[in-house]
Amino acid sequence: MTDNRFDHLRLERVSRRFGGRSALEALDLHIAGGEFLALLGPSGCGKSTALNCLAGLLPLSGGSIWLDQRRIDTLPPERRGFGMVFQNYALFPHMSVRRNVGFGLTMRGVGRQETRRRVDEALRLVQLEQYADRLPGQLSGGQQQRVAIARAIVIEPPLVLMDEPLSNLDAALRLEMRTEIRRLHQSLGLTTVYVTHDQEEALSLADRLVILREGRVQQIGTPEELYRAPVNSYVASFMGYRNILPVKVSGGDGDLVTVTAPGLELTGLAREKVGGDAVVAVRPEDFVVSGGGDNPLVVNVEVVEYHGREQAVQGRLAGGQEIRLRSTERLAPGDTVTVCVPRDKVLVFAADPEVPTTDESTLATPAQAGIADVGNSGAQDGPPAGVVAGPPAGAAGRRGAS
């Protein structure tokens, strides 16, 4: 592939409004050449809007976009030269795999011999050489997505944009394609911006994550930084802290604070300024079924799910709060056990009325709550109201939620 790299892509105070509604507000973002960046958040958070602004499919309401020293937000999509992979593949049903992959080169006036060479190379990279003459309807969903990826990389773009590319695939294919996307990114030295609502997907693929909420950035960092040190309860809810309990701050000593609720007392780390009403966040895997240790809690087991080497357990505390934990010890509904959790695994945040606590979130679906659990990649997401990011008329592909 031709070296078409850049040093930095910069979004400076990028905004996008639909009527009186702000879908993206003053987004500042620097993307290094060769980086894999994931935009993560629930439906309507602005991630697809940001991607469409980058692609040139949506004009900016404010701000600018720069590729090194060249301003590109004033350019039409075809002059930006970016590759894009859509959620619904956007393949032409009457064209063979080879013609679909080479379509962008044909539109750019690339010669026949060069087009064939680059298409052959792209098909080899996605391991579809033997399917070159088939139609999209003769391929599986995973194979169709490989065709879409080959079409994006064959033009040798400086940037590849991926909008929920795996959401229409089943669980096994998602894992396979996740590995494939990462392999291609690394082997070709691509720069990739990837939109997803699936935290597990984002954590496994990205060099850095951007968490968005109602068009505003909540936190930017490496997967490990966001996993271990979320800045607020909203980010924590995306990073696998499934136990988010309302509490009151009763005391503190530096970063360590003590919080209480009916039948509950915990000591943990304050991740932001707290006082009065607060919430604690704990991962299910951080509880230890034991009689000794920090922050002992008595849990009445209600539901047990078998997950091979461990069990996923849902129980209830004496004060009625619901608790989720994982245990390698075999438990059964009706058991009463004592669990402990280290102080540095208990994160204390200011109360946020828009982030459901554990008991509230059990009364709503993840989509209604606006939160998706880690690994719950079956949930659907799409662009905010008013955004169209679909295939050309007549294009084939499985359609996802929009």
Side-chain angles (χ1 to χ4, degrees):
M1 292 279 180
T2 302
D3 191 350
N4 198 13
R5 301 177 188 178
F6 59 89
D7 289 330
H8 286 92
L9 175 70
R10 305 191 312 279
L11 285 74
E12 298 183 348
R13 298 192 64 79
V14 168
S15 300
R16 173 65 193 181
R17 289 181 289 276
F18 297 97
R21 174 179 173 268
S22 180
L24 203 62
E25 189 65 35
L27 174 62
D28 286 313
L29 192 59
H30 285 210
I31 303 169
E35 185 176 20
F36 196 121
L37 184 87
L39 304 179
L40 179 64
S43 180
C45 73
K47 57 188 186 298
S48 289
T49 300
L51 199 78
N52 287 326
C53 287
L54 260 176
L57 301 177
L58 285 174
L60 306 189
S61 301
S64 58
I65 302 175
W66 299 79
L67 193 65
D68 288 333
Q69 302 307 313
R70 183 167 66 108
R71 184 171 179 176
I72 64 170
D73 58 279
T74 56
L75 300 177
E78 64 274 13
R79 291 189 58 196
R80 301 188 191 191
F82 298 161
M84 189 154 187
V85 180
F86 294 97
Q87 177 181 350
N88 52 7
Y89 317 145
L91 303 179
F92 294 101
H94 62 289
M95 291 185 182
S96 67
V97 166
R98 177 177 296 280
R99 289 181 62 201
N100 265 287
V101 173
F103 181 78
L105 298 176
T106 301
M107 296 300 291
R108 287 166 171 77
V110 178
R112 182 176 298 179
Q113 186 173 353
E114 176 65 7
T115 294
R116 185 171 188 87
R117 182 192 69 79
R118 286 163 67 170
V119 169
D120 285 345
E121 183 181 359
L123 290 176
R124 179 186 61 79
L125 286 169
V126 298
Q127 303 171 16
L128 285 179
E129 303 103 309
Q130 66 271 39
Y131 300 99
D133 297 322
R134 294 193 185 182
L135 296 174
Q138 298 173 309
L139 304 177
S140 68
Q143 290 167 338
Q144 289 185 55
Q145 194 57 283
R146 287 172 188 259
V147 175
I149 292 171
R151 183 183 56 192
I153 65 175
V154 76
I155 63 173
E156 299 175 352
L159 180 69
V160 175
L161 307 173
M162 296 190 175
D163 190 6
E164 300 269 14
L166 307 184
S167 62
N168 288 338
L169 305 179
D170 62 36
L173 275 177
R174 279 200 301 272
L175 289 173
E176 179 184 333
M177 287 305 302
R178 220 160 67 187
T179 303
E180 187 72 12
I181 288 170
R182 188 65 190 177
R183 180 184 67 80
L184 287 170
H185 174 83
Q186 292 174 338
S187 62
L188 297 177
L190 299 173
T191 305
T192 305
V193 178
Y194 189 100
V195 161
T196 182
H197 63 267
D198 187 322
Q199 308 88 320
E200 186 177 356
E201 199 171 282
L203 288 168
S204 65
L205 284 171
D207 300 315
R208 281 194 305 154
L209 306 179
V210 180
I211 307 291
L212 291 169
R213 178 184 189 181
E214 296 179 351
R216 296 179 181 273
V217 172
Q218 298 295 294
Q219 188 172 358
I220 301 175
T222 66
E224 184 174 5
E225 287 170 349
L226 270 66
Y227 186 87
R228 295 188 180 279
V231 296
N232 56 36
S233 59
Y234 178 85
V235 176
S237 67
F238 270 97
M239 292 295 106
Y241 289 83
R242 297 192 66 201
N243 299 292
I244 298 181
L245 305 174
V247 293
K248 290 189 179 294
V249 176
S250 61
D253 181 11
D255 290 338
L256 283 177
V257 295
T258 300
V259 296
T260 59
L264 171 70
E265 181 175 292
L266 294 170
T267 299
L269 294 176
R271 292 291 301 148
E272 54 186 341
K273 187 176 181 179
V274 294
D277 292 336
V279 295
V280 292
V282 184
R283 296 179 184 280
E285 59 269 29
D286 288 336
F287 284 110
V288 179
V289 178
S290 168
D294 294 337
N295 296 315
L297 299 170
V298 177
V299 179
N300 295 312
V301 177
E302 295 182 344
V303 179
V304 176
E305 298 177 10
Y306 176 74
H307 287 188
R309 288 181 297 178
E310 63 181 8
Q311 293 177 321
V313 179
Q314 181 176 305
R316 203 163 292 275
L317 302 178
Q321 302 93 334
E322 186 178 271
I323 288 290
R324 298 182 179 98
L325 59 99
R326 292 184 176 273
S327 173
T328 55
E329 295 190 24
R330 293 309 179 203
L331 303 177
D335 287 350
T336 299
V337 295
T338 298
V339 301
C340 298
V341 57
R343 294 181 176 187
D344 62 347
K345 303 297 185 183
V346 178
L347 304 187
V348 184
F349 301 101
D352 185 337
E354 295 185 13
V355 177
T357 57
T358 302
D359 286 338
E360 292 172 334
S361 63
T362 62
L363 302 178
T365 65
Q368 290 168 333
I371 303 298
D373 290 333
V374 167
N376 182 16
S377 51
Q380 297 293 314
D381 186 29
V387 177
V388 178
R398 301 181 184 178
R399 295 189 177 272
S402 61

